[in-house]
Amino acid sequence: MSGELLSVRGLSISFDGVEVVHGIDLGLAAGECLALVGESGSGKTVTSRAMLGQIPRPGLVSAAELVVDGVDARDLGERDWQRLRGSRVGLVSQDALVSLDPLRTIGREISEVLEVHAGRERGRLSRAELGRAVHDELVHVAVPRPELRARQYAHELSGGLRQRALVASATIAKPRLLIADEPTTALDLTVQAQVLELLARLKGEGTGVLLISHDLAVVARIADRVAVMRSGEIVEAGRTEAVLAAPKHEYTRALLAATPSLHRKGERLSALPPLRLGRGEPVDRDRVVLSATGIRQSFRQPDGSRLTAVDDVSLELKAGRTLGIVGESGSGKTTLGRVLLGLQRPDGGEVLLDGAPWSALPERDRRRRRGGIQAVYQDPLSSFDPRVKVGAILREALALSGVPGAERRGRAVELAGRVGLAEELLGRSPLALSGGQRQRVAIARALARSPRVLICDEPVSALDVSIQAQVLDLFADVQQQLGLAMVFISHDLGVVHHVSDEVLVMKDGVVVERGAADSLFTAPQHPYTQALLSAVPTPGASS
Amino acid sequence: MSLTNFLAGTAAGTTRRRMPIAAIVAGAVLLVLLITALFPGLLTSTDPLATATSESRQPPSLAHPFGTDTLGRDMFSRVVYGARLSLSFGITATLVAVLAGIVIGLLAGLAPRWVDNIVMRVLEIALAFPELLVALVVIALLGPGTVNVIIAITIAAVPVYARIVRVTTLQVKGSSFVEAATALGQRRALVILRHVLPNVLGPLLVLATVGIGTAIISGAGLSFLGLGPVSPTPEWGLLLSDGRSSLGTAWWIAVFPGIAITVTVIATTVFGRFLQRRFEGRRS
């Protein structure tokens, strides 16, 4: 394919003789946005790095054609690449906190790019000139109060501002091509929408944007064309609307199918058959298993003031139902989850489990009843002791449920099988498992205690869409067959809508809206809920 | 994982790194030293205490590889037999100090904040003085003697270990897997025993290996000053001190015990650092 800014034919990249990317054709014109979409390990990032000459040793790049902004980039040396990077190709990466030097101010960070490139072309710029350029660029990327921000350090900025500062450092030398690698992945929904808007505006100004993303919904918002990657190859490419509306390749279809917001509530997301977990006791779906009244929790901040993380929150969870809690980072949803689990004693209010005191108990008494309420966390890996093997993780939980030592091994195998884990994985360290497998181990561990309530804190946020679909299906199986009540905490509205019967929307520690999932998502009352919903990118609704 | 893979710091199947020759040599030296300390009779048949005035101050020869001292005692045999006491200073003191450090560090890390504060202030005061100085003060209080030297080095070394145990305890205590174990309903004592302690031990054992070297130097230093075992007991620090006055006329009396101390300390340090790198590589 050819394009004015980027023209790639037959690009292959190999490491130690293993081809990780094969036969890639791409083209990008000015004022256009091309999205490379794929799950982790699909080769999308390494492909984009080839356009920056940043393939680490011992990687080998070969291509029939690799033209970057008019320059044949196939045989460029490191010095030639340095001239190209920043001035003609800019890079915005995922995590602005690690991409920005913690010891330098934002202003210094941004001006360095200009210093390097302008210095090369027109001689040194004066301090005042640099300052003015940085100021203008910060204004350009819509950073409010640019004079102040330029003097601050990366950790003093919010995620959204930081990401915009990173964009500014990529665009200050006015490159015609911008590579954005998962630029919104770590951001809250409303902030994500702002960054996407910024990228769309840069595109409108004539910059060519190569967007790398795992998220079809994000892509749909700004990309003109999409290339779907899997295992180092492009399996489907075309105009965004066409690909999303009528995907030709089965993988694209599977990816789209795994997106919760494209499904009716409760429908299966993955192609995997339901697991047989065995029947739990029948549950009375009107019985309240977990309730909280007037929960209040504050923390002392380093400067001595108190931050109210959760402010007067009450909730009720009935047997076999799912309560979704939605909010952006800092909304207090995780703290609320910890209070419900009895890991944190609230400053005010009370939590009742099965109608009996829970949060007010001393830990010694609470411990006896902990089996009834279990948790699944966002990052399963860190919730496992790094020295312990999968089998031992499950056996510890079984031991706590009073399973005699001789039976534990067999029961662990059975438990693993129920959540779809092969027996041989029991001998492995969680480190050697994939993200989806780890989350299955975490679910198996929770189930080992035969809980009636499961608190899930962002359980699928770290997973690829197709894996997320499988794990969400597993949760559905668990709930339907064992009659578990779940509290499902997430920032992802699509996921929450899919799994929840009832939803709480939290902002700054306060519940701003609550209601049945369907009515809340179709007719949100509170302005914040409306803003959140309008910020949700949905595939198929292209700009 | 095979031994070579372990030493090379790689899991089976991954690309091999360079073999750490220095660490292998250091390990071999430590092994020889350990055998020497346990079975000195294997290396020499001469009695380290047998005097022979006629053979006073003989330079190194085939019969006496390290020469003889003022009383005609065989220096090689004295250095060999000296290994036991010198090494046991280092190993015993470090072992006891590590155990005490674990107890104090865990308590400080898990106790209410005010207990932690008191313990930490005391440890910080102790840490403000050089280890040898603390040891000297302890000796001054207890009086000289072999056992007292060990006690003194132990006390001087405890704060370092207690501090690292406390810091790792705080880290591990706040980690998600400890919280997960609590949420699972595990008893607090078992959470500490199964999940906190083992994760604290790793970094500590690495530090202790390096610490043995320091403790050996402290022990030899105190003996050198005449505060530990008394002549004619063979101990490297004491041997060094005995040979000091005749350094100009019979260099071998002081130099060989000195080399023994140096080699031991270098070997423990090199091996300790190697363990540290291996360990940190595994954690990341």
Side-chain angles (χ1 to χ4, degrees), chain B residues 2 43 49 62 79 96 107 128 130 138 144 157 159 161 168 170 176 196 206 222-223 272:
Chain B
S2 73
L43 276 95
L49 301 179
L62 272 181
V79 169
V96 179
L107 279 180
V138 176
Y161 299 120
T168 6
L170 287 178
S176 319
V196 178
V206 170
L222 293 174
S223 307

Side-chain angles (χ1 to χ4, degrees), chain A residues 290-293 295 338-353 355-367 369-370:
Chain A
L290 184 72
S291 69
T293 40
I295 300 297
R338 287 174 45 90
V339 169
L340 293 177
L341 269 171
L343 289 172
Q344 182 126 39
R345 184 175 298 241
D347 300 333
E350 196 184 7
V351 182
L352 301 180
L353 181 64
W358 172 248
S359 65
L361 292 178
E363 180 60 32
R364 185 185 297 273
D365 300 324
R366 191 160 42 216
R367 191 179 302 131
R369 299 176 56 209
R370 277 208 178 275

Side-chain angles (χ1 to χ4, degrees), chain A residues 300 338 341 343 363 367 370 373-374 377 382-387 396-397 400 445 449, chain B residues 113 175-177 179-188 194-196 198-199 282-283:
Chain A
R300 195 162 51 185
R338 287 174 45 90
L341 269 171
L343 289 172
E363 180 60 32
R367 191 179 302 131
R370 277 208 178 275
I373 180 164
Q374 285 295 302
Y377 306 92
S382 70
S383 75
F384 304 136
D385 187 336
R387 304 165 309 107
E396 183 185 4
L400 287 169
R445 175 173 68 177
R449 305 266 2 231
Chain B
R113 187 170 298 179
S175 67
S176 319
F177 65 86
E179 189 173 291
T182 311
L184 213 54
Q186 186 63 276
R187 289 170 48 202
R188 189 170 152 87
R194 287 217 191 126
H195 299 294
V196 178
N199 283 294
R282 196 160 56 97
R283 294 226 66 152

